């Protein structure tokens, strides 16, 4: 057996064991679910890798302005904000997701309020009081208008 055949068999066997490797044929739904599951298990590095791959798949499959793309952005930002303390990486992802929801569903959509609340938490953690207050006030306004 040649070395390249051995490597190929190893890769095929490793994939059959259901590892977290990201095959190019994996669907956004699978990548998204696996990333969330890995985050729940505390496997943040792997969750980040699959979250980034899921984001690429979402952008390609659904387009840059689709709600699933916004979900991928939000989940990756949540991972950074909540579990990894990567606030600088989280903020632009939240802003991009917010823009998608506002453009597609309107500025008073409940998901906009949810994102604003998450951004307020991020701003609070980074000591940005004025931005925290603005985001909280806007989220509260959206929530009270929906009642």
């Amino acid at each position: 057996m040649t070395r390249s055949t051995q490597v190929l068999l190893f890769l095929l066997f490793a994939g059959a064991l259901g590892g977290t490797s990201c095959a190019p044929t994996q669907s956004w739904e699978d990548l998204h679910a696996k990333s969330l599951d890995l985050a729940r298990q505390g496997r943040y590095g792997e969750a980040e890798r699959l979250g980034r791959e899921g984001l690429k798949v979402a952008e390609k499959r659904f387009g840059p302005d689709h709600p699933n793309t916004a979900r991928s952005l939000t989940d990756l930002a949540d991972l950074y904000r909540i579990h990894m303390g990567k606030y600088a990486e989280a903020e632009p992802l939240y802003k991009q997701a917010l823009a998608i929801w506002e453009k597609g569903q309107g500025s008073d959509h409940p998901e906009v309020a949810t994102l604003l609340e998450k951004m307020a938490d991020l701003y609070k953690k980074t000591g940005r009081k004025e931005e925290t207050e603005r985001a909280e006030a806007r989220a509260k306004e959206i929530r009270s208008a929906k009642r």
Side-chain angles (χ1 to χ4, degrees), residues 40-59:
R40 279 189 286 276
Q41 295 174 32
R43 296 165 62 185
Y44 305 129
E46 294 171 86
E48 178 184 16
R49 185 177 60 75
L50 287 186
R52 289 207 162 279
E53 184 63 29
L55 176 58
K56 288 178 190 174
V57 170
E59 288 172 334

Side-chain angles (χ1 to χ4, degrees), residues 130-141:
E130 290 178 17
E131 290 170 281
T132 300
E133 291 170 356
R134 276 197 302 272
E136 287 174 340
R138 186 165 168 226
K140 185 177 180 181
E141 182 181 310

Side-chain angles (χ1 to χ4, degrees), residues 4-133:
S4 59
T5 303
Q6 290 173 333
V7 170
L8 179 60
L9 287 173
F10 171 78
L11 292 172
L12 289 171
F13 179 74
L17 292 178
T20 58
S21 66
C22 177
T25 58
Q26 282 190 299
S27 70
W28 173 81
E29 293 82 0
D30 289 343
L31 290 166
H32 187 248
K34 285 180 184 179
S35 177
L36 293 175
D37 189 46
L38 287 166
R40 279 189 286 276
Q41 295 174 32
R43 296 165 62 185
Y44 305 129
E46 294 171 86
E48 178 184 16
R49 185 177 60 75
L50 287 186
R52 289 207 162 279
E53 184 63 29
L55 176 58
K56 288 178 190 174
V57 170
E59 288 172 334
K60 186 174 182 177
R61 178 175 163 197
F62 304 114
D65 296 325
H66 192 276
N68 287 345
T69 301
R71 285 181 186 93
S72 287
L73 289 161
T74 301
D75 291 339
L76 191 54
D78 285 349
L79 179 69
Y80 289 151
R81 175 181 58 94
I82 297 167
H83 301 293
M84 301 177 83
K86 294 183 175 183
Y87 306 124
E89 288 89 341
E91 185 175 359
L93 300 177
Y94 280 137
K95 287 182 176 180
Q96 189 177 350
L98 181 64
I100 293 169
W101 282 108
E102 288 178 323
K103 180 180 177 183
Q105 304 297 319
S107 61
D108 62 345
H109 191 275
E111 192 63 34
V112 170
T114 299
L115 279 164
L116 288 166
E117 292 161 351
K118 291 176 180 205
M119 292 173 74
D121 179 67
L122 182 143
Y123 295 145
K124 186 180 291 183
K125 288 178 177 179
T126 56
R128 295 154 63 185
K129 185 178 179 183
E130 290 178 17
E131 290 170 281
T132 300
E133 291 170 356

